[in-house]
Amino acid sequence: MERNPGFARPPRCMARNDDIPRHIPRMAVMSIVKINVLTVPAEQREVLEQRFASRAGAVEGSDGFEWFELLRPVEGTDQYLVYTRWRSEEDFQAWMEGPMKAAHQGGGGGAAGAGERPKPAASASTVWSFEVVQQAGPKTGA
């Protein structure tokens, strides 16, 4: 397989070339990005960040997982961005239906005495989906 020198791994072939207008060059889909936009009241920010810190390692071993970032708002918004990058939509969906679903179902629905599920730190959530069509990184020495 020919290596693409601009990226860490060779891109996979795009399966949906028919979805792209003719005037746009056909490119390999490198990854997909999911951004979970969480509206977090000021008094819940620390709670949200602690919950993400305690989940460290929970997604990193998932098949097709490529990257995670929790982005804290600096000014003008109460929305955190949870950025994840995946090899494919199928990999993301497998994680959503498996490990993520299990992690978010703990607590409340069990027998009496079972720990209650904590109140969500976010008051609203929206997921944005993107395909990566171009990317760049720092130039390496030469």
Side-chain angles (χ1 to χ4, degrees):
M1 177 179 269
E2 183 179 318
R3 193 112 174 115
N4 184 339
F7 305 104
R9 64 178 170 78
R12 61 189 173 85
C13 292
M14 184 169 196
R16 297 176 306 276
N17 273 337
D18 292 339
D19 295 342
I20 300 174
R22 290 183 186 271
H23 68 279
I24 297 175
R26 301 310 194 248
M27 303 172 83
V29 174
M30 294 173 260
S31 301
I32 61 129
V33 169
K34 299 293 183 172
I35 300 174
N36 192 358
V37 183
L38 302 174
T39 302
V40 182
E43 66 276 7
Q44 291 292 95
R45 286 180 165 204
E46 188 175 333
V47 170
L48 179 87
E49 291 181 24
Q50 287 175 350
R51 287 181 186 169
F52 271 94
S54 69
R55 57 118 313 266
V59 69
E60 288 85 337
S62 298
D63 191 39
F65 170 79
E66 296 179 350
W67 201 259
F68 161 84
E69 290 178 315
L70 176 62
L71 306 176
R72 177 193 302 137
V74 176
E75 60 185 47
T77 185
D78 59 355
Q79 295 179 320
Y80 277 72
L81 301 181
V82 182
Y83 173 100
T84 57
R85 190 174 68 214
W86 298 86
R87 178 179 54 207
S88 69
E89 180 68 26
E90 295 76 20
D91 292 324
F92 172 74
Q93 291 301 327
W95 174 74
M96 287 286 291
E97 290 303 315
M100 195 285 298
K101 191 173 188 178
H104 286 82
Q105 286 181 340
E116 275 190 41
R117 183 173 179 204
K119 175 185 161 204
S123 61
S125 173
T126 302
V127 176
W128 298 339
S129 299
F130 300 89
E131 290 181 333
V132 176
V133 294
Q134 293 183 22
Q135 65 183 16
K139 292 182 180 181
T140 55

